């Protein structure tokens, strides 16, 4: 189930996919996310990874190789039999729905969902097709609060929504062969909860300097708890170093029900940005982006 959440989140933020490129999907994802969120057969973390250079997406085979190295093929392969059995659903809708179901199955909130996203069949530069966003618009795990706000304010999220979405780091882990980072954020990386916020506030986080007896590569800076079993990124610690972010971390640490409600609303908003799917107030209008 972690596979499906993180795959759907990534594909909200990046149109690249070896057999289908999504039209009408959010241009960037928060939570959900950062380049540290790598993917493996065990865990797929929710926030984002850097999209490979557009040159690597010039053919389906090249794109497939790139995403295989990042572990995305595991999630894609899990969903392919469902797509084959139900060919009328778009890949874009399937991946978002899979992420929603995975969150719920891991104990998270019930999340609203509407069909209506459509696929296109090939990648294209933004100058050729305005439905594709430029590279370099995903958040980085090694940057602080200003960078996080720059990414999410552009998509219409406020501080409360940003922190709620970041709570998805209760799930998953990083892998050195994917993102260069290592470790889970929580002790229960397959359970959706507010534990991420508690750990941010209650654990002592120090710069990681060694790993398995060797010096840690400081080009991938991360922090660890006293016994080294958990990790946080610079972007995570920004949530407790910034006063406006921190107040929502404290709220969600003490009120899991409110966190679930806010997360569900922010996730639905995120996965409907830039789409024409049915919404509670009608249809969301596709916004004009700066590159259009």
């Amino acid at each position: 189930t972690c596979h499906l959440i993180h795959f759907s989140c990534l594909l909200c933020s990046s149109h690249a996919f070896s057999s289908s490129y999504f039209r009408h999907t959010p241009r960037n994802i928060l939570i959900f996310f950062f380049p540290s969120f790598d993917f493996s057969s065990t865990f797929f973390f929710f926030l984002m990874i850097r999209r490979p250079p557009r040159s690597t997406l010039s053919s389906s085979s090249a794109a497939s190789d790139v995403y295989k190295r990042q572990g995305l093929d595991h999630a894609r392969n899990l969903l392919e039999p469902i797509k084959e059995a139900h060919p009328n659903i778009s890949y874009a809708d399937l991946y978002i729905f899979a992420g929603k179901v995975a969150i719920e199955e891991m104990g998270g909130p019930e999340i609203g969902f509407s069909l209506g996203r459509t696929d296109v069949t090939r990648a294209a530069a933004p100058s050729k097709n305005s439905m594709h966003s430029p590279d370099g618009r995903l958040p980085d795990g090694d940057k602080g609060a200003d960078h996080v706000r720059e990414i999410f304010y552009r998509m219409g999220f406020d501080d409360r929504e940003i922190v709620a979405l970041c709570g998805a780091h209760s799930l998953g882990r990083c892998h050195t062969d994917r993102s260069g980072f290592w470790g889970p954020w929580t002790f229960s990386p397959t359970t959706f909860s507010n534990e991420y916020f508690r750990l941010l506030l209650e654990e002592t986080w120090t710069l990681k300097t060694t790993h398995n007896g060797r010096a840690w590569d400081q080009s991938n800076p991360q922090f660890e708890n006293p016994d080294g079993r958990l990790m946080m990124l610079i972007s995570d610690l920004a949530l407790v170093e910034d006063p406006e972010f921190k107040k929502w971390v404290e709220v969600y640490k003490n009120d899991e029900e409110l966190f679930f409600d806010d997360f569900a609303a922010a996730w639905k908003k995120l996965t409907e940005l830039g789409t024409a799917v049915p919404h509670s107030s009608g249809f969301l209008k596709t916004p004009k982006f700066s590159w259009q």
Side-chain angles (χ1 to χ4, degrees):
T1 53
C2 280
H3 299 57
L4 306 181
I5 294 177
H6 302 132
F7 194 46
S8 67
C9 283
L10 173 70
L11 294 174
C12 283
S13 61
S14 171
H15 304 97
F17 187 66
S18 63
S19 61
S20 176
Y21 296 82
F22 310 139
R23 183 174 182 268
H24 298 317
T25 55
R27 297 306 188 267
N28 288 292
I29 179 176
L30 110 228
I31 197 174
F32 329 52
F33 328 118
F34 309 95
S36 63
F37 312 135
D38 49 42
F39 306 79
S40 76
S41 60
T42 305
F43 299 112
F44 279 61
F45 196 76
F46 207 12
L47 285 236
M48 307 169 183
I49 61 174
R50 289 186 179 88
R51 179 167 49 182
R54 194 173 301 280
S55 60
T56 67
L57 305 176
S58 58
S59 70
S60 61
S61 60
S64 182
D65 289 345
V66 168
Y67 282 90
K68 183 175 292 185
R69 289 197 299 272
Q70 294 173 337
L72 294 174
D73 56 316
H74 298 295
R76 183 185 63 186
N77 293 342
L78 282 173
L79 295 174
E80 201 58 33
I82 300 175
K83 173 65 174 175
E84 291 175 1
H86 305 279
N88 290 333
I89 190 172
S90 67
Y91 278 106
D93 277 341
L94 174 61
Y95 295 150
I96 299 305
F97 184 71
K100 156 196 157 60
V101 172
I103 291 169
E104 294 171 355
E105 288 297 310
M106 288 192 286
E110 183 176 349
I111 301 173
F113 175 80
S114 297
L115 294 165
R117 300 164 187 83
T118 59
D119 303 333
V120 293
T121 58
R122 65 186 63 186
S127 60
K128 301 292 185 181
N129 184 337
S130 64
M131 299 311 299
H132 295 270
S133 63
D135 291 330
R137 295 174 63 84
L138 302 183
D140 286 330
D142 59 358
K143 293 183 172 62
D146 289 346
H147 174 72
V148 175
R149 285 196 174 96
E150 179 185 359
I151 296 297
F152 292 106
Y153 280 11
R154 184 179 63 220
M155 294 185 286
F157 291 96
D158 61 23
D159 288 351
R160 179 175 181 171
E161 293 169 312
I162 292 170
V163 175
L165 286 172
C166 288
H169 270 170
S170 63
L171 303 173
R173 63 179 299 139
C174 288
H175 299 263
T176 55
D177 62 339
R178 312 292 170 129
S179 64
F181 299 104
W182 179 89
W185 287 262
T186 73
F187 292 110
S188 302
T190 57
T191 300
F192 194 94
S193 71
N194 64 345
E195 184 71 354
Y196 168 74
F197 301 116
R198 185 189 70 78
L199 292 166
L200 268 175
L201 292 166
E202 295 183 2
E203 289 282 346
T204 298
W205 300 100
T206 57
L207 186 67
K208 184 178 180 68
T209 59
T210 62
H211 184 69
N212 291 336
R214 298 183 179 182
W216 180 253
D217 182 0
Q218 292 302 323
S219 66
N220 294 311
Q222 67 175 73
F223 293 78
E224 61 185 7
N225 70 331
D227 66 10
R229 296 166 60 195
L230 301 178
M231 62 87 72
M232 291 287 172
L233 303 174
I234 292 174
S235 54
D236 295 306
L237 295 182
L239 300 184
V240 291
E241 293 169 351
D242 181 275
E244 294 302 310
F245 281 153
K246 185 177 180 180
K247 72 181 184 182
W248 289 110
V249 172
E250 292 172 335
V251 167
Y252 293 144
K253 174 212 167 188
N254 295 316
D255 192 337
E256 187 175 67
E257 183 177 357
L258 179 63
F259 164 53
F260 277 28
D261 289 345
D262 285 0
F263 177 86
W267 163 276
K268 190 171 189 293
K269 174 179 175 178
L270 178 71
T271 58
E272 291 179 351
L273 285 175
T275 75
V277 301
H279 190 256
S280 58
S281 59
F283 283 80
L284 293 178
K285 294 181 179 179
T286 301
K288 295 293 289 185
F289 293 93
S290 59
W291 65 85
Q292 292 179 300

